Amino acid sequence: MPNTSPITAVTAYGHPVGVSNDEFRAAMSRLAAGVVLVTAYEPPLDAEGPKGEDVGMTATAFMSVSLDPPLVLVSLREGSRMDDLLDEQPLWAVSVLSESQRHIAGRFAMKGRISDRLLFEDIPCIRGEATGSLLVGGALATLECRTEQRVRAGDHTLVIGRVLTAGVLSADGGPLTYFRGRYRQLD
C-alpha cells in the first residue's frame, strides 16, 4: 500500500516539524560506530616561513564505499580545520583505533584544544609514504587516501577518498567504538 501520509511542514532548520536536533541526535546515538583518527599534513605557506603542521581529528562517520576501485568516505563538519585543509590539498590518512587508544580519540575530539603539534607529541606515529600524513602506531589498520570527490550534505562535507595504501598494523585487541555518546569496547 503506498504511503498516503501528508507531507510534513519543515522548520527553519530543515527538519520536519516534530523532529528536533536533540531527538535526531538521540536516535542516531543508538547506532554503534567505529572510531578513527583522520590525519593530514598541512604544507608550509611558503618555503621561507615556518614548516608545515600535522593535523588530526577523531571521526566516527567513516565507512567503506567501494572495493573496485577502493574508496572510503569520511564526514567532516563544514568549516572545520580538517574540512578546510582537505579542500586545499587532497592527501590524507586514517588510523582505525583499537580499544586501548581511547585517549587518542578523546584528545583529538576536544573542542578548543591546544595545537595539533602538541597533541601528537607523545603518540607513536610513522609518516605515510603515499601521503606524508601521520599513521598511529598500534592502530588496528591504516589507510592512506587521495580525495576523489567532496559532497556538501547539510552542515557536513562528505569526503570520498581513493585508498592508496592499506595496512593491518596490529592484530591485538578489539576496535574502539562509539555508542550512546561514549567510547566503548566490544565485550
Side-chain angles (χ1 to χ4, degrees), residues 16-29:
V17 173
V19 178
S20 71
N21 287 351
D22 289 340
E23 290 168 325
F24 179 68
R25 193 175 291 118
M28 295 310 298
S29 77

Side-chain angles (χ1 to χ4, degrees), residues 31-172:
L31 177 65
V35 182
V36 301
L37 184 68
V38 179
T39 56
Y41 179 72
E42 184 172 31
L45 293 174
D46 62 53
E48 304 299 319
K51 65 180 186 168
E53 186 173 11
D54 294 300
V55 177
M57 68 159 264
T58 302
T60 56
F62 176 77
M63 64 183 283
S64 168
V65 173
S66 169
L67 183 60
D68 187 17
L71 299 173
V72 293
L73 176 147
V74 65
S75 180
L76 306 175
R77 186 176 39 81
E78 187 178 333
S80 67
R81 183 167 183 203
M82 188 64 73
D83 182 38
D84 291 344
L85 176 55
L86 296 187
D87 191 33
E88 295 174 12
Q89 68 94 356
L91 299 175
W92 47 285
V94 174
S95 297
V96 179
L97 299 179
S98 73
E99 60 196 5
S100 67
Q101 295 176 316
R102 177 186 301 218
H103 65 288
I104 295 172
R107 183 182 294 187
F108 285 90
M110 290 186 306
K111 292 181 180 173
R113 63 190 197 211
I114 58 176
S115 81
D116 285 19
R117 178 182 51 80
L118 295 174
L119 294 178
F120 280 111
E121 202 166 74
D122 63 345
I123 297 173
C125 294
I126 60 170
R127 195 161 297 281
E129 291 182 21
T131 63
S133 301
L134 292 180
L135 304 170
V136 176
L140 295 178
T142 60
L143 304 159
E144 292 186 86
C145 306
R146 182 186 66 239
T147 300
E148 293 273 311
Q149 187 176 3
R150 292 172 52 87
V151 179
R152 282 197 63 204
D155 58 1
H156 278 65
T157 303
L158 306 178
V159 180
I160 299 170
R162 180 178 295 255
V163 178
L164 305 173
T165 69
V168 176
L169 302 180
S170 175
D172 296 334

